[in-house]
Amino acid sequence: MNEQEAIELIRQSLDDKRYEHSLRVAETAKKLAITHQAPLERVVLASLLHDYAKCQSPTKLQAKLQQYELTQSLGEYHHELWHGPVAAKELSVTNLVDDTEIIRAIYYHTTGHPNMGLLELIVFVADYIEPARTMPGVEEVRALANENIYEAARIAIKNTIMYLMTQDAVIHPDSWAAYNEWTKKY
Ligand code: DGI
Ligand code: FE
Ligand code: FE
């Protein structure tokens, strides 16, 4: 799939708000890819597609968790965590995307993962800092993103975990593992 095809695909599968968000993530990720000398086209493709399944209902996503045998790892967690893994599976089983790193970037874009490579880190951070994001701490991550992508990702997941804890939300083990790994690096 090329960039134009990805844009057409998300135009069909997402509402306006989510479509615009995806374009902003791709634009943000593109700049980071240039700064960090990451493969530009692949970074843009992963960013465009990261929320591909975001507009599907929790009921539909739940059925797909079953279909792709993801219920055990994700079924007990908040339905917000389902759209990345479902999008990754859907895009790979249909052979729309055959690039494993792109698939991983999509799969783990919400929770993070301890073994993320540069492409995945860029998508993860770009999703957090795209220009419409206003959560507390986002400016710090924006500034760090150009200097040290690991540290930017670390602060992003730290802020997310801290926010979720104020809500008494359950934290997915991948989020903890990512935080621990990036903190050891730091
Ligand atoms: O899809 P987006 O809105 O662009 O962003 P996202 O996929 O990063 O995040 C979706 C939501 O998931 C966001 O409100 C924060 C939440 N989230 C992230 N990690 C965890 C989590 N929610 C729970 N319960 N547990 C987590 O570990
Ligand atoms: Fe998302
Ligand atoms: Fe997103």
Side-chain angles (χ1 to χ4, degrees):
M1 187 181 316
N2 62 33
E3 183 174 337
Q4 200 47 48
E5 288 165 335
I7 291 172
E8 282 163 26
L9 184 66
I10 59 169
R11 181 61 289 192
Q12 289 166 24
S13 43
L14 300 178
D15 61 28
D16 290 355
K17 190 172 144 243
R18 193 52 48 179
Y19 172 71
E20 303 288 337
H21 160 73
S22 303
L23 296 183
R24 288 191 300 270
V25 174
E27 201 52 47
T28 306
K30 195 174 187 171
K31 289 179 194 157
L32 292 175
I34 293 166
T35 305
H36 297 286
Q37 299 176 335
L40 206 59
E41 275 179 46
R42 296 166 67 220
V43 164
V44 168
L45 214 50
S47 312
L48 287 169
L49 298 172
H50 82 282
D51 272 341
Y52 166 66
K54 181 84 175 183
C55 293
Q56 300 180 19
S57 70
T59 315
K60 196 165 174 185
L61 289 171
Q62 196 167 36
K64 288 179 180 175
L65 286 188
Q66 299 236 340
Q67 182 186 340
Y68 300 129
E69 298 180 354
L70 296 172
T71 308
Q72 205 177 7
S73 55
L74 289 159
E76 285 179 23
Y77 291 92
H78 197 277
H79 61 77
E80 275 289 343
L81 302 187
W82 299 346
H83 68 282
V86 166
K89 288 290 177 190
E90 205 140 85
L91 292 166
S92 72
V93 301
T94 52
N95 293 317
L96 285 168
V97 177
D98 60 7
D99 182 321
T100 0
E101 245 179 297
I102 294 179
I103 294 295
R104 280 176 52 93
I106 297 168
Y107 194 107
Y108 295 113
H109 85 264
T110 304
T111 57
H113 189 278
N115 301 127
M116 279 178 147
L118 182 60
L119 182 151
E120 295 163 80
L121 287 165
I122 287 176
V123 176
F124 183 78
V125 170
D127 191 24
Y128 190 85
I129 65 169
E130 63 97 337
R133 299 290 202 195
T134 57
M135 55 285 219
V138 70
E139 279 308 333
E140 186 190 1
V141 180
R142 281 196 183 110
L144 277 169
N146 294 311
E147 308 301 323
N148 185 338
I149 199 76
Y150 277 102
E151 181 58 359
R154 188 182 89 84
I155 302 295
I157 196 66
K158 178 180 159 187
N159 290 348
T160 300
I161 290 172
M162 291 203 304
Y163 167 74
L164 289 166
M165 290 184 79
T166 69
Q167 306 298 303
D168 289 311
V170 172
I171 313 292
H172 193 276
D174 287 343
S175 300
W176 285 119
Y179 169 77
N180 286 344
E181 182 61 28
W182 299 338
T183 298
K184 279 189 250 166
K185 256 192 180 71
Y186 174 68

